Amino acid sequence: MTRRDARAFWLFVGPFLLGLAVFAYLPIGWSAYLSFFDARNTVTPTEFVGLGNYGHMLTDEPFLSSLGTFSVFAVFIVPLTFVLSLALALGVNQLRFARAFFRSVFFLPFACSYVVASLIWKTSLFSGVRYGLANTVLSVFGVDPVAWTGTVHPPLYWVVLVTARLWLQLGFYMILFIAALQRIPVQLYEAAWLDGAKPGWPVFRHITLPQLRATAVAVLLLNLINAYQAFDEFYNIMGDARGYPPFARPPLVYLYYTSLGSGGQDLGRGSAGAVILALLIALVTVLQGRVLRFGRAA
Amino acid sequence: MQRNRRSFLALAGMGALATACGSNTGRQGDPPPSTAYSAGPPPSDAPKAALQQWYHAYGEEGVQDAVKRYASSYPGAAVTVQWNPGDYDSKIVTALQNSKVPDVFEAQVKIDWVRQKQVLPLDDVIGPVKGDFSPAVLAAQTVEGRVYGIPQATDTQVLFYRKSLLQAAGVQPPQTVDELVDAAAKLTKDGVKGLFAGNDGGVGVLTGPLLWSAGLDYLKNGNREVGFDDPRAATALGKLHTLNANGSLLLGAPADWSDPGAFIDGLTAMQWTGLWNVPKIRQAFDEDFGVLPFPKLDGSGAPSVPVGAYGAMVNAKSAHVTEAKAFVKWLWIDQTQDQLEFATKFGFHVPSRQSLIGRADNLKSGPAADAARFVQENGHLVGGPVWTQPSNTALSDAVAKIAKEGADPAAQVKTAVEVARSELKRLFG
C-alpha cells in the first residue's frame, strides 16, 4: 500500500473507526468496568464490589423472568418470521407482473420507525375501546371489545407484540430470501424437470431449500439476536408513564429501568445485567451457528 | 413523548406547589416575606453570571413563554431556560452525574442524589417561610430534615364521576373501596365501563391510594420502616384484582389515565385522573360531574388523594451555586405573583404555599374547590425521596401480579416488603 493509499484509507475509514471506538467499544469497556462497582447514580464509582452485581442479577427474579419473557417471544417470532418471510419471498419471486411493486410494498414497513409502528398498533389497531380496528372487526361478529394489551389470561398482549414485529421486519428478511432465490441456478430446476420432478413440494424440499441454507441460517441467527434485543415495541406498547408491567418485560426493558430509571440509576447492576445478556447472546449464537453449521458449504 | 404538567405525577410521584412568598410588599394577605437568604441580585454594574435553568416540557400552552419571561426579568444573572421534551427525569439524573449544567432545574429529590452530593440543600433559601408550605409537598423535597427543592406547584388526582350515570344506575358516590367496586360493576353496561384508572388496570395510580385506604403507607417512622408490612395491605391490594377480574375496568384506551378523553367520550362512568382536567370535563358535562377522594377501605382506613410537586433545585456541581441559589430564592420565594400565575393560569393546580391557595380564583368553587380541600385534608406523598427505584419496581410488580394475574396478595406483598427493607438497610444500615 502506497503512502497515498494509506492516507485515503485512513481518511475514509478513520472517522468510522473513531466513532466505533467512542460510541461502541469505549461504552462497552466502561460498562464492563462499572459492573464490578457499586455505581448508583455515578459513572465514576469508587466502591469495588467484585462479582456482587453479577451475583445479584443472577438471582434477581425480575431479571431471570425477563429472560423467560424473551424465550417466549423468540419461540413465537423466530419461526414465524422465518416461515412467513420465506413464503412471501417465494410468492413475490414467482410474480410475473408488478414484482417490484410488491417487493417494495412488503419491504416498506422495515423503513418505519418502531416507535411509530408501536403507537399505531397500541392506539389504533389494538386499542381496547370499541372503535379500535381489531375490536371494530370483532364487533361485526358480536364480540365485545377486547383489552388487547391489558389481558393477561389469555395473554393477548402477545398478539399485539408479535404482529407489530412481524409487520416491521418481514419485508427485510423477504428481501434476503429473494436475493438468495435469485442466485439459485435455473439449470438445477431444468435438470430436475427433465428427470421428471414436477414443481411443488419435492422440488422445494430437495432443491430450493438446500440452496437457501446459508441465507436461512443467517436469517435464523439474526432473528434470534433481534429477539434478544427487543426493546422499542415492548417499551412503547406495554409501558406507560408510570412504569412497565412484570409480564412481557424483556431483558433490555428491565435493564433500561435498572440503569436509567428516573431517580435511581443503578449502573453497576445494570451493567452486570448487560454483560450477562451479551455473553448469553454470544453463547446462543455460537451454539446455534454450530448446530446449523453456519458458514459451511451446503 | 411530550409530557404535560400533570404527567410528572405519572413519573415520579406527584406534585406541586407554587407560590410564593416574598416580595415583601407589605400588602395585607401577602405571604410572609423571606429573610432567610441574604444573597440577593448583584449590583447592576457587576458582570452577570450565566445560569442555565431546565424544565420538562409542560403541555399547557403559555407555560414556556411564562417561565422564559420570569427568567429574563431576573436582574441578578443571565438565565437561559432550556425546555426538555422526552424522558426528562432520566435526562436530569444523567446530567447531574458529572455536569455543571443545569445550574437550576425542577425535579423531586431522591436520597441517592443527596448521598452522591449532586444537589444542594436549600434550607437557607426556604428559611422562615418553610411553614407556609403544605407538609406533604415539602416532604417530597426533604431528605433527613434538609430541604433540597423549593416546591413550584401542587397537583393531585381525584375520582371523577358522572352524576347522571350514577343516578340512573341507582348508585351513590362510593365512600368505601367495596362501594367503589360495586359501583364500577353496576355502572358497567351498554358499552360503558364503570371505572378507568389507567390502561394498566390501576396498578400505577391506585397502589398508593389503596395502601392509604387501609391506613398504611409506603414507608413509616421517619422513612426508616416499610409502611405496608401488614395483612391489611394484601386485603386492600386484593380489591384491585376484583376490579380487574370482573370486567368493570376500562382497559386499552387510546389515552391513559392522565387524559380525560375516556371520561369525556363516555367510555367510562368514573375515572381516576388529575385535577388539571376540570376545565375540559366541565366544558363537556357542565355541572354533571363530581369529584371524590379515593375511598377508605373500612372504618379503620381513610380517604386519600396523592399530592406531588416538582421543586426548583440547584446542581451542586454548578459553577455558580451562589448565583443559582439567589435566583431560586428570587423566583420561587419572592415572586409571589409569578408563582400564582405559574400554578393557576395555565391549568388547574394547587399552590403549595397554603397562604396562596385563597388567592387562586379558579379553586374557590365546585369540584376544584373540593379537590383543593382534599389536598389539605387527605393529601399523601407518593413514595417520597427515600422510596427508591428498586423498591418501587418490586411493589409495582407485586401489585401488577395481584391485579392482573390473580397472584396471592400476601405472598406478593411479602416479596415487595423484603426488597423495600433491603433498600432501607442499604441506605441506613
Side-chain angles (χ1 to χ4, degrees):
Chain A
M1 184 185 287
T2 65
R3 182 175 292 181
R4 185 176 176 180
D5 289 340
R7 206 164 42 231
F9 174 82
W10 286 112
L11 184 65
F12 283 101
V13 176
F16 295 100
L17 277 180
L18 188 64
L20 203 60
V22 171
F23 296 110
Y25 296 140
L26 185 61
I28 289 172
W30 199 257
S31 180
Y33 170 78
L34 289 175
S35 69
F36 296 105
F37 287 84
D38 182 353
R40 289 182 177 85
N41 286 83
T42 179
V43 290
T44 53
T46 54
E47 190 180 339
F48 183 74
V49 295
L51 295 174
N53 289 327
Y54 288 92
H56 175 86
M57 294 306 287
L58 288 171
T59 55
D60 185 39
E61 194 277 330
F63 181 62
L64 297 177
S65 101
S66 75
L67 295 176
T69 297
F70 144 74
S71 302
V72 173
F73 183 57
V75 163
F76 281 118
I77 202 68
V78 174
L80 268 179
T81 304
F82 182 88
V83 170
L84 294 178
S85 59
L86 179 56
L88 269 182
L90 290 168
V92 170
N93 200 46
Q94 286 182 351
L95 287 174
R96 294 179 184 277
F97 303 103
R99 182 192 296 179
F101 170 76
F102 282 104
R103 208 164 45 202
S104 303
V105 163
F106 289 122
F107 182 75
L108 214 52
F110 184 68
C112 182
S113 154
Y114 270 56
V115 176
V116 171
S118 301
L119 293 178
I120 291 171
W121 246 248
K122 179 180 184 175
T123 61
S124 296
L125 302 186
F126 290 101
S127 82
V129 296
R130 54 181 178 256
Y131 46 76
L133 183 62
N135 282 339
T136 303
V137 172
L138 289 178
S139 70
V140 173
F141 301 99
V143 179
D144 287 336
V146 174
W148 294 96
T149 57
T151 303
V152 177
H153 297 301
L156 294 179
Y157 53 86
W158 281 122
V159 175
V160 188
L161 294 164
V162 170
T163 53
R165 174 157 284 211
L166 282 176
W167 184 78
L168 282 161
Q169 68 176 15
L170 273 186
F172 172 72
Y173 294 112
M174 177 199 73
I175 292 291
L176 294 187
F177 275 124
I178 286 177
L181 285 169
Q182 291 178 345
R183 282 203 308 270
I184 300 175
V186 179
Q187 292 86 341
L188 284 177
Y189 292 105
E190 290 173 348
W193 183 76
L194 288 173
D195 287 343
K198 293 179 180 177
W201 172 251
V203 170
F204 176 75
R205 166 74 182 79
H206 295 290
I207 297 178
T208 306
L209 209 51
Q211 291 294 317
L212 292 177
R213 204 179 67 80
T215 302
V217 172
V219 166
L220 285 173
L221 285 174
L222 288 172
N223 249 313
L224 197 66
I225 293 170
N226 279 342
Y228 262 117
Q229 295 177 330
F231 179 85
D232 288 343
E233 72 271 50
F234 281 78
Y235 183 78
N236 288 289
I237 289 174
M238 301 301 294
D240 60 35
R242 281 277 180 178
Y244 196 97
F247 48 89
R249 183 167 55 198
L252 284 192
V253 171
Y254 182 65
L255 293 179
Y256 171 78
Y257 278 107
T258 302
S259 303
L260 301 168
S262 58
Q265 297 190 325
D266 193 338
L267 294 161
R269 288 177 178 176
S271 296
V275 170
I276 292 168
L277 189 62
L279 291 175
L280 200 56
I281 292 175
L283 180 67
V284 171
T285 305
V286 168
L287 285 177
Q288 192 186 18
R290 290 210 166 198
V291 169
L292 299 172
R293 301 171 64 197
F294 183 57
R296 297 185 190 175
Chain B
M1 176 182 67
Q2 182 167 0
R3 273 180 274 128
N4 53 31
R5 293 183 78 181
R6 50 275 216 195
S7 61
F8 68 78
L9 282 176
L11 288 175
M14 323 262 133
L17 155 165
T19 8
C21 170
S23 79
N24 196 12
T25 63
R27 289 175 299 181
Q28 193 173 12
D30 270 351
S34 166
T35 55
Y37 188 68
S38 58
S44 58
D45 56 347
K48 289 185 177 180
L51 299 179
Q52 190 165 122
Q53 183 185 21
W54 281 13
Y55 291 91
H56 80 286
Y58 288 102
E60 289 117 335
E61 199 172 328
V63 186
Q64 186 176 10
D65 290 339
V67 296
K68 283 182 175 176
R69 175 163 39 84
Y70 306 153
S72 65
S73 62
Y74 178 57
V79 183
T80 304
V81 170
Q82 181 169 311
W83 206 243
N84 292 283
D87 189 358
Y88 173 76
D89 293 292
S90 295
K91 184 174 181 176
I92 200 71
V93 290
T94 303
L96 287 178
Q97 286 180 8
N98 283 299
S99 171
K100 295 178 177 178
V101 172
D103 304 279
V104 178
F105 60 96
E106 60 175 11
Q108 289 191 103
V109 68
K110 292 292 176 186
I111 190 169
D112 282 325
W113 303 4
V114 175
R115 296 284 170 89
Q116 295 287 348
K117 296 183 171 39
Q118 293 174 335
V119 290
L120 287 182
L122 300 175
D123 300 281
D124 50 348
V125 174
I126 200 166
V129 300
K130 187 175 172 182
D132 193 29
F133 288 90
S134 149
V137 168
L138 200 58
Q141 306 296 345
T142 304
V143 173
E144 294 172 326
R146 306 194 77 176
V147 177
Y148 289 85
I150 311 299
Q152 298 173 176
T154 303
D155 263 319
T156 189
Q157 300 154 28
V158 289
L159 182 69
F160 285 77
Y161 64 94
R162 284 283 299 281
K163 292 177 180 175
S164 57
L165 292 180
L166 267 65
Q167 197 171 14
V171 172
Q172 293 297 314
Q175 303 300 315
T176 66
V177 176
D178 283 335
E179 287 179 16
L180 176 67
V181 173
D182 289 343
K186 286 177 182 170
L187 291 164
T188 299
K189 56 183 177 182
D190 302 329
V192 177
K193 292 288 188 179
L195 174 64
F196 180 48
N199 287 321
D200 61 358
V203 173
V205 290
L206 295 188
T207 296
L210 281 164
L211 292 179
W212 302 323
S213 78
L216 306 172
D217 209 334
Y218 292 83
L219 298 169
K220 65 180 181 182
N221 291 346
N223 291 331
R224 297 305 175 96
E225 283 184 51
V226 180
F228 54 94
D229 186 9
D230 189 300
R232 284 171 61 78
T235 304
L237 296 173
K239 304 291 182 185
L240 202 53
H241 175 62
T242 308
L243 277 168
N244 274 272
N246 69 8
S248 57
L249 283 187
L250 174 65
L251 297 170
D256 218 332
W257 67 274
S258 62
D259 188 283
F263 191 58
I264 289 173
D265 291 345
L267 297 171
T268 180
M270 299 186 288
Q271 180 173 339
W272 182 259
T273 186
L275 176 64
W276 52 83
N277 288 321
V278 166
K280 288 181 181 175
I281 293 172
R282 178 174 286 149
Q283 189 176 18
F285 300 136
D286 196 18
E287 299 302 318
D288 183 22
F289 75 99
V291 297
L292 290 169
F294 192 82
K296 60 188 178 185
L297 181 65
D298 50 31
S300 303
S304 64
V305 293
V307 296
Y310 265 152
M313 306 180 71
V314 173
N315 183 352
K317 295 186 179 70
S318 163
H320 307 286
V321 291
T322 303
E323 293 87 346
K325 289 174 75 171
F327 172 62
V328 167
K329 174 185 176 293
W330 175 85
L331 180 55
W332 297 114
I333 299 292
D334 296 340
Q335 302 302 306
T336 55
Q337 203 54 42
D338 290 344
Q339 293 154 22
L340 191 60
E341 179 189 71
F342 179 80
T344 60
K345 183 175 179 181
F346 311 104
F348 262 57
H349 311 278
V350 180
S352 48
R353 286 282 286 278
Q354 299 181 69
S355 57
L356 288 180
I357 294 176
R359 288 167 57 181
D361 292 337
N362 56 0
L363 299 177
K364 286 183 176 170
S365 63
D370 292 339
R373 179 168 49 83
F374 300 155
V375 168
Q376 290 184 298
E377 296 175 359
N378 310 113
H380 289 269
L381 179 63
V382 177
V386 178
W387 184 247
T388 62
Q389 186 75 15
S391 299
N392 199 53
T393 299
L395 180 58
S396 176
D397 282 6
V399 177
K401 288 175 182 173
I402 293 167
K404 309 295 289 189
E405 302 179 46
D408 174 31
Q412 292 300 320
V413 167
K414 185 181 175 193
T415 302
V417 166
E418 285 168 0
V419 173
R421 196 173 280 150
S422 159
E423 280 293 287
L424 290 176
K425 186 176 181 187
R426 172 179 73 83
L427 292 168
F428 301 112

